[in-house]
């Protein structure tokens, strides 16, 4: 089997040793452990730890944050459910607001989060050649956005393509949101300040009007289900109201890890000295394998320039079957991939990338990537 379709982070021994030491430290503090296991936290986390988070993140995000800017959730996906539904759909005044995706493809997890149908409005990117067998999506600077948008949403780096919007593009989108008085949601699950898988791109800093979503999942702790929202205090108050009934409590295990990480500045070391070098090496290995088998099979392919995250986004211009059909054929050969058609919610225009792109993870072993790449290349060659 080659599981090249999932979103799990890689198993990295150096990172797992840090996690084990942190877990043991939590267990040794018996009085604190009793509170962690036996007490409910507040709906968006306890105030002392939110203050600690604000202090730590203020340095990383270059803004004087307070606990009123911070909310904890059971994973960033949980937070996005509340956020997307708060700013889209039927409003109290009877108007209908949509979620703007200024560039697609975009994260698969947003599509099924909303309570009402027809809330996504997606906009086509520019597609630019970026060297041999490489391309890159960029924001369409001439795009005119409709008046019914209630929020703009991006991920940086983008899941699935590994794209990282430039700070110029971020500034333009933020200015639009400020002008229209709508929030700008930025999903930083793979971005800064942790795990900081943004290649050579500049980090995002917080500004009023932004809603930043952070997660411990991609540092290697998806089982903790710990997400952090950084936003203006009125947005945090709104989220607290949702969380009080939707979650009751933010949980204590993730925040217990976070307390130690922030006090010991573990996340900076983990991100920049363990995770980034590891994933950079894994990416180069995966690209060498993929391009080797693609060229052996003489297939027509383009790879989105992988600027961040841990996925490879592939476009097969000459393939004669859809990406969903390709998924089914790969599955028959014990190879899992993700069909790209899932990553375009709300797009009404025709765009060949929707039917001809797939997403692969490079977090798996070299053997799995080699086997899966060979099967994939043979199937694409057969159906081109």
């Amino acid at each position: 089997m080659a599981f090249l379709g999932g979103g799990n982070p890689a198993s990295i021994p150096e990172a797992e040793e840090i996690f084990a030491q942190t877990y043991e430290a939590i267990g040794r503090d018996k009085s604190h452990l009793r509170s962690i296991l036996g007490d409910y936290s507040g709906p968006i986390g306890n105030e002392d730890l939110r203050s600690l988070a604000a202090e730590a993140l203020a340095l990383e995000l270059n803004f004087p944050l307070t606990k009123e800017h911070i909310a904890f959730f059971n994973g960033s996906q949980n937070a996005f459910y509340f956020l997307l539904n708060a700013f889209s759909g039927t409003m109290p005044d009877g108007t209908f607001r949509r979620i703007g995706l200024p560039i697609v493809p975009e994260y698969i997890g947003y599509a099924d989060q909303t309570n009402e149908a027809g809330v996504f409005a997606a906009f086509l990117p520019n597609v630019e050649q970026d060297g041999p067998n490489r391309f890159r999506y960029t924001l369409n600077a001439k795009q005119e956005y409709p008046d019914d948008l209630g929020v703009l949403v991006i991920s940086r780096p983008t899941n699935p393509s590994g794209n990282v919007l430039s700070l110029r593009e971020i500034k333009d989108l933020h200015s639009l949101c400020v002008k229209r008085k709508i929030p700008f949601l930025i999903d930083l699950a793979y971005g800064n300040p942790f795990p900081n898988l943004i290649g050579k791109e500049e980090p995002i800093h917080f500004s009023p009007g932004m809603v930043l979503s952070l997660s411990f999942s991609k540092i290697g702790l998806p089982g903790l289900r710990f997400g952090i929202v950084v936003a203006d205090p009125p947005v945090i108050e709104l989220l607290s109201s949702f969380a009080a009934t939707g979650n009751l409590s933010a949980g204590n295990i993730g925040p217990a890890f976070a307390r130690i990480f922030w006090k010991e500045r573990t996340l900076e070391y983990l991100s920049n000295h363990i995770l980034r070098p590891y994933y950079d090496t894994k990416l180069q290995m995966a690209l060498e394998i993929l391009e080797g088998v693609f060229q052996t099979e003489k297939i027509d392919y383009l790879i989105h320039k992988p600027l961040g995250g841990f996925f490879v986004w592939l476009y097969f211009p000459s393939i004669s079957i859809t990406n969903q059909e390709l998924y089914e054929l790969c599955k028959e050969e014990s190879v899992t991939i993700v069909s790209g058609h899932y990553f375009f919610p709300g797009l009404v225009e025709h765009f060949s990338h929707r039917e001809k792109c797939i997403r692969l993870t490079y977090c798996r072993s070299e053997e799995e990537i080699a086997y899966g790449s060979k099967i994939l290349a043979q199937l694409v060659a057969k159906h081109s």
Side-chain angles (χ1 to χ4, degrees), residues 80 154-156 170 184-188 204 210-213:
F80 259 79
I154 66 162
S155 56
R156 187 184 192 261
I170 296 294
F184 183 23
L185 272 62
I186 306 177
D187 186 345
L188 296 174
I204 283 180
M210 290 182 175
V211 181
L212 306 183
S213 172

Side-chain angles (χ1 to χ4, degrees), residues 11 24 55 58 64 90 94 96 152 160 165 178 181 188 215-216 221 243 287 321 330 342 380:
S11 175
E24 291 168 1
E55 180 182 348
T90 304
F96 190 84
L152 284 186
L165 292 185
V178 170
K181 299 181 180 179
L188 296 174
S215 172
F216 272 16
L221 294 170
L287 291 175
I321 59 175
C330 285
Y342 293 109
V380 173

Side-chain angles (χ1 to χ4, degrees), residues 149-376:
L149 298 182
V151 61
L152 284 186
V153 181
I154 66 162
S155 56
R156 187 184 192 261
T158 302
N159 174 359
S161 67
N163 196 20
V164 179
L165 292 185
S166 69
L167 290 188
R168 175 76 260 177
E169 292 171 315
I170 296 294
K171 183 178 180 180
D172 289 345
L173 292 173
H174 182 233
S175 296
L176 173 69
C177 290
V178 170
K179 181 179 179 180
R180 297 201 180 185
K181 299 181 180 179
I182 62 174
F184 183 23
L185 272 62
I186 306 177
D187 186 345
L188 296 174
Y190 301 86
N192 69 285
F194 48 82
N196 206 28
L197 303 178
I198 56 174
K200 298 179 181 179
E201 301 300 315
E202 292 295 317
I204 283 180
H205 294 152
F206 178 77
S207 292
M210 290 182 175
V211 181
L212 306 183
S213 172
L214 315 178
S215 172
F216 272 16
S217 292
K218 305 312 176 185
I219 69 170
L221 294 170
L224 286 187
R225 307 311 305 138
F226 182 56
I228 306 163
V229 173
V230 182
D232 296 326
V235 174
I236 298 299
E237 289 182 23
L238 177 65
L239 285 173
S240 181
S241 298
F242 277 117
T245 55
N247 291 345
L248 181 62
S249 170
N252 289 324
I253 302 296
F257 272 77
R259 182 189 299 274
I260 294 175
F261 287 166
W262 282 321
K263 285 187 173 181
E264 299 183 359
R265 298 185 64 84
T266 303
L267 292 170
E268 181 180 358
Y269 174 80
L270 175 66
S271 298
N272 296 327
H273 297 282
I274 296 178
L275 301 182
R276 286 185 66 163
Y278 179 88
Y279 284 114
D280 285 347
T281 301
K282 288 283 285 187
L283 171 61
Q284 294 308 313
M285 176 269 292
L287 291 175
E288 289 177 10
I289 291 173
L290 284 165
E291 299 209 85
V293 295
F294 288 172
Q295 290 166 12
T296 296
E297 294 292 337
K298 297 181 172 57
I299 64 174
D300 189 13
Y301 73 95
L302 289 170
I303 299 175
H304 188 283
K305 186 176 182 180
L307 299 169
F310 41 68
F311 299 110
V312 177
W313 181 249
L314 299 165
Y315 175 51
F316 301 116
S318 303
I319 197 168
S320 60
I321 59 175
T322 67
N323 40 21
Q324 180 62 25
E325 291 169 325
L326 179 60
Y327 161 80
E328 297 292 347
L329 292 173
C330 285
K331 186 178 177 181
E332 291 176 6
E333 300 293 335
S334 299
V335 176
T336 59
I337 61 174
V338 177
S339 172
H341 75 279
Y342 293 109
F343 298 92
F344 298 85
L347 184 66
V348 296
E349 296 94 340
H350 176 264
F351 188 38
S352 65
H353 289 227
R354 179 160 45 188
E355 291 81 31
K356 295 176 180 287
C357 285
I358 65 167
R359 190 194 77 179
L360 302 180
T361 177
Y362 56 83
C363 293
R364 308 299 294 184
S365 69
E366 183 174 353
E367 292 74 20
E368 277 187 78
I369 293 171
Y371 173 74
S373 298
K374 182 179 179 180
I375 295 297
L376 174 65

